Each structure stands twice: as structure tokens, then as C-alpha cells.
């Protein structure tokens, strides 16, 4: 997605999750496509599901969504987690390259100094 300077980008969020052993057992017994569950939840909050992947390692799955704001993304994460099927869930706000460059420019010249450094 390319944004002009006047357009405000819609925030993207990456959610990493892990199922409980009990829910893995349920999915083994009756496999199902969980993308539709995630899609319904995020669309109800005014967002869009961009991807849903499974992996192996620290997290069982990854979901990429766009949402109107942080509150909606947090509601997605909390709403999904409240169902009790997740052992863990983490959501990260993703910045566009343009936002990261703006952030870096704002960080220039800030009056922060490390502890013990002379002022």
C-alpha cells in the first residue's frame, strides 16, 4: 500500500498466539479453518483480516489485521483470548516505513541522556 502525504494509513497489527493443549486436541479431532472465526471478529470491529498462518516454534499461529485504531485491535486480541482457547496472545502495532522514518526524525535531538552520562 502506498500512501500520499495527505492520507492517513490504516494501522496494521500482528497477533501471535498459541493454543492450549486441549484446543489442539479438539482441532485434531475435528479440524477446521479458524480464519473465518478471526475474520468475523475483526470485521465486526471495523477491520480486515489480511492473513492467518500457523507455524511451529514459540508461537502456534500469526494473524495480520488492519483495524481502525488501537482500541479496536486490543478488543480483537482480548475478545479472542477471552474464549479460553489460547494459552498466550501478543499483539504488535506495525509501523509503515514512512511512519518509522517520521519516528526517527522526531527522535533526533531529544534531551534524553543515559544514566551517569554528563549533561
Amino acid at each position: 500500500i502506498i500512501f500520499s502525504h495527505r492520507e492517513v494509513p490504516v494501522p496494521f497489527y500482528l497477533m501471535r498466539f498459541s493454543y492450549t493443549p486441549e484446543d489442539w486436541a479438539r482441532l485434531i479431532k475435528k479440524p477446521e479453518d479458524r480464519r473465518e472465526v478471526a475474520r468475523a471478529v475483526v470485521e465486526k470491529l471495523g477491520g480486515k483480516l489480511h492473513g492467518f498462518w500457523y507455524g511451529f516454534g514459540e508461537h502456534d499461529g500469526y494473524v495480520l489485521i488492519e483495524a481502525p485504531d488501537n482500541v479496536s485491535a486490543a478488543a480483537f486480541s482480548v475478545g479472542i483470548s477471552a474464549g479460553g482457547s489460547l494459552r498466550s496472545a501478543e499483539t504488535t502495532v506495525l509501523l509503515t516505513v514512512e511512519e518509522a522514518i517520521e519516528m526517527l526524525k522526531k527522535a533526533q535531538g531529544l534531551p534524553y541522556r543515559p544514566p551517569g552520562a554528563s549533561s
Side-chain angles (χ1 to χ4, degrees), residues 31-98:
E32 66 176 277
D33 187 343
R34 300 298 294 169
R35 286 179 294 191
E36 297 313 313
V37 174
R39 180 176 282 111
V41 173
V42 75
E43 286 179 356
K44 180 147 180 91
L45 292 165
K48 182 177 179 183
L49 177 69
H50 283 275
F52 190 115
W53 301 270
Y54 287 104
F56 44 89
E58 188 174 346
H59 304 287
D60 296 331
Y62 304 85
V63 177
L64 179 64
I65 67 167
E66 68 178 87
D69 50 49
N70 288 343
V71 172
S72 298
F76 173 77
S77 182
V78 169
I80 296 282
S81 297
S85 64
L86 299 181
R87 182 172 42 84
S88 68
E90 300 172 16
T91 303
T92 301
V93 180
L94 301 176
L95 300 175
T96 64
V97 172
E98 292 78 13

Side-chain angles (χ1 to χ4, degrees), residues 96-108:
T96 64
V97 172
E98 292 78 13
E99 289 170 321
I101 290 170
E102 182 179 347
M103 172 267 303
L104 292 168
K105 287 178 180 178
K106 283 187 176 189
Q108 292 174 347

